[in-house]
Amino acid sequence: MQKNIKSFEKYKKEYERSIKHPEDFWEGKARNFSWRKRWRNVLSWDFTKPEIKWFEGGKLNITENCLDRHLEKKGNQTAIKWIANDPQEKNINLSYKDLYTQVCKCANVLRKNGVKKGDRICLYMPMVPELAIAVLACARIGAVHSVVFAGFSAKSLSDRINDATCKLLITADGGFRGDKTTPLKEISDEAMKSTPSIERCIVLKRTKSNINMQKNRDFWWHEQMENSNSDCPIEIMDSEDPLFILYTSGSTGKPKGIQHSTAGYMIYTEYSFRNVFQYEDGDIYWCTADIGWITGHSYIVYGPLLAGATTVMFEGTPSYPDAGRFWKIIEENQINIFYTAPTAIRALEAKGMEFVTPYDLSSLKVLGTVGEPINEDAWHWYNKEIGKDNCPIVDTWWQTETGGIMISNLANVTPAKPSFATLPLPGIQPCLVNEKGNELEGNSVEGRLCIKFPWPSIARTIYGDHKRFKETYFSAFHNKYFTGDGCLRDENGMYRITGRVDDVLIVSGHNLGTAEIESAMDEHPNVCETAIVGFPHPIKGNGVYAYVICHNEVANNDLLKKEINDFVAKEVGPIAKADKIQFVNGLPKTRSGKIMRRILRKIAEGNTENIGDTSTLLDPSVVEDIKRSAQ
Ligand code: WT7
């Protein structure tokens, strides 16, 4: 295993080298992995197409690097430590050997069910070890996994299955989360009514609820696994072969299937995992995300396993059975590195210290946050009450599209600054541009965050829609990847992410498209038009504010609001429900028909005084009307 960067001086040197000689730099990292054949060419790229290729000609399998190569030295070390939702239920420790065996068996199950290299497999599962096993089993045989977060609706699930024409669905009878169970098979059945590409469905027994099994289509996981062979040769993959697709919201209603490839993703997730968290052999590492999001892919499954770490996987929620659950898990499992989201930190802070003080948190060495900007208050609480002023907090900025952490301090190695993601990782070349696309040089500047050079884990395309990939990320600014975030660089060159500058809302760290929520609301028979904006929310970071025009004039009708939100839950998922719904008679539109969200955002913030210029509106009186009816 390679050594981590251990000092600020070393970071500066490594960063400089990575910029001057990027190919040498990454080639050095690549040598630490198992390859079946060496690459011909380290990097070829053209952001105008865009086309990016890392380690072309190389042959490998990522699971050989996650599993096989650790067996000799770490075979008995825990790879995945699983903690059940119900505190009474026993934890499961899977050693590297156990995990290897389970992955091989599952991979053979997939092969027996006709899955071949390149086929897309949808995973719609709770946070159980079998989800990680299924992910790795797909990778072992070269199938492309598409994990759909188990909080999404039947409609969202079938849309994603159809977009990627998945051949097989793996789900469970149900999932436990807090005091709720989610009927995953029932939802899958609903989804499979309109997914012609699905040939088979494999069902894991988890909640033991009553479900329907359709003959010749649905098969039990445990029956399939029972007699499956535990020897499964890898599929030999090209560096650039796709590894997975993961959907994320965009500024149209249609989610984007972000596609990552094999070698670059592998090299970058391992490197960033070790260096950001300063992972050392023997550390117990826990990331509280769900594998349904990129954080779970990169920093529960791939990054930690590639580094030979012990990764903790938790099925439940932060507040079940009470708001002390995270801290109890940390004490009981002697967690050393803890990685969570600002929204969870704020929610737990609000519950009060009586849920924290009973627990001994002295095993903690490093804390991390991800998913949205962390406000200074929450940062200080996390630092003082959880880290006891003794653990560096890494504020990690990155995206589904970037595959791995891009801007972050390195724990105990580079300086932290509250609410700043701070400095780019080696190999990452951020820049700020103004609206004209000119790069802002020097320090103390604010603009749009772009990246001007490829890194190994950059997404390669949007599945089935390369044109949209180009338009979304590579067309706003010439020869640069545009992140969609606003950002400032302070007097010392440290980066602070200020939030999205497009029509994407980050709610509780989840990426939601305003257009997606709008079109879900528009499905309600009484809804004529909607406009969604974000507003500052004390726990969620951003809340969802909906302006709704109905066919018949309605006053403040709570039943109708609930019905509208039921449509959102059904079409998108419960996470996208509006926190506030305001019925209006009109929306502020420009003469060309574009909704001026800037105005709606101001009103949603409760700022009705400084609306700014409304002269370009088709009908400025609409604004007065909305202000009057705002709650
Ligand atoms: C968007 C990406 C990265 C995995 C989880 C979210 C926001 C993410 C931070 C941070 C400020 C952050 C950005 C980004 N974001 N991390 N540390 N500080 N903002 O992945 O769903 O693809 O969302 O999350 O706005 O663009 P995602």
Side-chain angles (χ1 to χ4, degrees), residues 80 94 99 102-103 106 128-138 221 225:
I80 295 180
L94 286 176
L99 183 61
Q102 294 300 314
V103 169
C106 182
V128 288
E130 289 82 353
L131 171 52
I133 291 166
V135 161
L136 294 165
C138 288
W221 171 287
M225 287 287 274

Side-chain angles (χ1 to χ4, degrees), residues 294-295 371-373 395-400 485 497 500 511:
I294 190 69
T295 311
E372 59 186 305
D395 180 349
T396 64
W397 174 84
W398 57 297
Q399 307 179 300
T400 304
D485 281 317
I497 312 301
R500 301 291 305 192
N511 194 320

Side-chain angles (χ1 to χ4, degrees), residues 166-183:
C166 295
K167 186 168 180 178
L168 188 114
L169 170 65
I170 309 182
T171 188
D173 49 357
F176 295 118
R177 263 178 75 76
D179 54 10
K180 292 200 197 82
T181 61
T182 318

Side-chain angles (χ1 to χ4, degrees), residues 33-37 58-69 103 111 136-143 232-239 243 262-263 266 302 306:
F33 294 86
S34 303
W35 295 82
R36 289 300 180 99
K37 190 174 161 220
K59 303 267 187 202
L60 73 160
N61 186 288
I62 195 169
T63 70
E64 190 164 68
N65 285 282
C66 288
L67 302 169
D68 310 41
R69 75 179 168 135
V103 169
R111 276 194 177 141
L136 294 165
C138 288
R140 192 153 187 98
I141 63 167
C232 180
I234 58 165
E235 187 78 39
I236 296 175
M237 306 297 285
D238 283 345
S239 293
L243 177 62
T262 304
M266 171 181 82
Y302 287 113
L306 287 162

